[in-house]
Amino acid sequence: MILQSIANCGRNYKEIICECYGIRSVAECLAKSKSEKTQIEARFLLESLAKGNPKFQNQVYKGLIAVLPCSSPKAQELAAQTLRIVQVNIEKKNYAILI
């Protein structure tokens, strides 16, 4: 996926994707796609956008939550898997703020 290659180039590029409604578009792709391969790629891109990108971590988290009520069981499964990963990073960040 081209966006994944761009996101792998660093935080600045991840932020550009996020600022251009990339999270919403990728989450919609995950929820609505009939192709399991496309859903898996969307999942990995959302995970990548959340990692090392603190400015948009919460937005990715909310995008994944929005996928959960969709009609695709595979999309729900992938979103839940990714939420587990992203949530750990968010909890660590919030814990560090409290200390």
Side-chain angles (χ1 to χ4, degrees):
M1 191 175 216
I2 293 172
L3 285 176
Q4 182 66 49
S5 297
I6 294 169
N8 289 341
C9 290
R11 181 176 169 183
N12 290 335
Y13 294 98
K14 289 179 184 183
E15 288 180 357
I16 291 170
I17 293 170
C18 295
E19 289 167 355
C20 296
Y21 304 101
I23 296 169
R24 180 178 179 182
S25 299
V26 176
E28 284 181 14
C29 178
L30 173 59
K32 295 179 181 179
S33 178
K34 303 292 184 204
S35 165
E36 187 173 320
K37 183 179 178 186
T38 302
Q39 289 176 321
I40 291 169
E41 291 295 328
R43 174 223 187 265
F44 284 125
L45 179 56
L46 287 169
E47 182 180 341
S48 176
L49 291 174
K51 288 184 177 177
N53 191 9
K55 185 175 178 183
F56 289 98
Q57 254 181 353
N58 288 335
Q59 192 174 339
V60 173
Y61 185 78
K62 290 174 185 176
L64 288 164
I65 290 173
V67 173
L68 293 177
C70 79
S71 61
S72 168
K74 186 63 178 180
Q76 292 172 337
E77 176 189 350
L78 293 170
Q81 288 173 352
T82 311
L83 274 168
R84 278 185 39 194
I85 295 166
V86 172
Q87 188 170 12
V88 169
N89 293 333
I90 289 174
E91 287 174 355
K92 286 180 185 175
K93 183 176 93 175
N94 290 340
Y95 181 73
I97 291 171
L98 293 174
I99 294 179

